[in-house]
Amino acid sequence: MNQPFPSRFSMDQAPWGLLEGLKPGDAFFSSPATTLLGRGIAHECHTPDARPHTLDDAARELFDTARAQGHPDPVIMGLIPFNHADSARLFMPRELLRAAPGTFEQCPGSAPLETRALAITPEPAAEHYCRAVDSALTLFETTRLNKVVLARSLRAHTQASVDVQALLKRLLSINPRGYNFTLPTSDTESLVGASPELLIRREGNRVIANPLAGSIPRHSDPQEDQRRAEGLGISDKDLREHALVVDAIVTALRPLCRTLEVPEGPEVMATDRMWHLSTTLEGELADPTMTSLSVAAALHPTPAVCGAPWQDAHQAIESLEGFERGYFTGLVGWCNDTGDGEWAIAIRCAELAPDHVRVFAGAGVVPGSSPQGELEETAAKMRTMLDAMGLDYEDDATNAAA
């Protein structure tokens, strides 16, 4: 496509004002730093794979096209899959609208969604998932694998398509400071989510990463909820899992940075359904020409979504999970022609199609994990999207773990 690239920056517009303008097929991304609404697609690229050099070449081609057409401020939005061998989708919106930094804590709410499902099918079944966790625990004893993230999904066949704007309003009401998004994956399908996890943000030479690893479901009783948060902060299993992720990101980031600040230990942070161990890393890039997309590609996938060592973890995922992740646990975000941008990890998300939705969740399996515990963790993580859509589903956890 060769179309003009109008762009508007609305300093006086509240971030949720852009959400009100969302139409089917639009792209939307919000974070504590920015809110973007991309309308239509002026130019796009489906890459043959998602390796770093391929993504860099695709981004360069898109920016060159935009500059040749006289665009004063081109921005790429896109989706990068979990598997490097799969195709990424990068595109420049036909029209880009931006709001000043802000949060959605004052966003007008929407009525609860009531998505009617004809059937909900686990992919794979809960029993399969528990057996996969058992197999991973055996691999820890017989191979050099020391962490693997195992995921599962639910496919709900629906009577009608889900209203994306209404769904995002629900997600923003429970995740106002997170990374909320909808990006088209095809002419009729999209990926929608409310991720708590920032892989990388680049602002000039400054980069910020915020890995999460080590989690526990929240509880409706405030005292029990607080007990769980405090327990997570001293859990040996979860602290080991978190350290694996942070160490891997530090190892990948340090050669790229002139300076890198690494906290002594993690904090405990909350989302609507989970407590997470969280560490914020800040650094200064050694090479000022390295873009946010380049840095993101160099870090992805982290042990937070894959495992460690990552080659062994990736092999275990392919043999044990039983489904294709696609963009789940990949990246969603944006990058401008100066290199600034943000890339969040595509978790707490769902694929939306006209006749079905597909919800995903994963859990980090390490020595000391239990099949029942990991099954319950994935079920709790799925509740963010299931509740937002008004879908009711519970695993038969007793039978699954038997």
Side-chain angles (χ1 to χ4, degrees), residues 242-329:
H242 188 80
L244 276 173
V245 175
V246 172
D247 290 348
I249 293 179
V250 168
T251 298
L253 263 184
R254 201 176 291 282
L256 308 179
C257 292
R258 181 176 289 108
T259 62
L260 184 63
E261 298 176 15
V262 182
E264 291 185 3
E267 300 177 336
V268 178
M269 66 163 280
T271 64
D272 63 310
R273 287 286 177 174
M274 304 294 297
W275 289 105
H276 296 283
L277 294 178
S278 166
T279 294
T280 301
L281 308 170
E282 297 190 34
E284 182 184 2
L285 286 175
D287 179 1
T289 67
M290 196 168 194
T291 69
S292 63
L293 179 59
S294 298
V295 178
L299 300 182
H300 175 65
T302 75
V305 297
C306 185
W310 82 265
Q311 296 95 334
D312 302 75
H314 197 280
Q315 183 177 356
I317 288 168
E318 288 190 330
S319 65
L320 297 176
E321 271 190 349
F323 76 101
E324 294 295 327
R325 292 190 185 185
Y327 292 119
F328 170 63
T329 62

Side-chain angles (χ1 to χ4, degrees), residues 198-212:
L198 173 71
L199 178 64
I200 202 73
R201 174 185 298 128
R202 179 190 184 273
E203 300 170 342
N205 290 345
R206 181 170 170 258
V207 289
I208 300 170
N210 182 207
L212 308 181

Side-chain angles (χ1 to χ4, degrees), residues 206-229:
R206 181 170 170 258
V207 289
I208 300 170
N210 182 207
L212 308 181
S215 308
I216 191 169
R218 300 194 63 181
H219 198 278
S220 57
D221 177 75
Q223 291 185 332
E224 172 62 15
D225 194 46
Q226 184 60 34
R227 186 193 69 78
R228 292 187 178 195

Side-chain angles (χ1 to χ4, degrees), residues 43-45 55 58-59 62 76-79 88-91 293 343:
H43 195 68
E44 67 177 312
C45 178
L55 296 173
L62 288 171
I76 289 172
M77 301 181 76
L79 305 107
R89 189 182 197 197
L90 302 176
F91 60 91
L293 179 59
W343 295 91

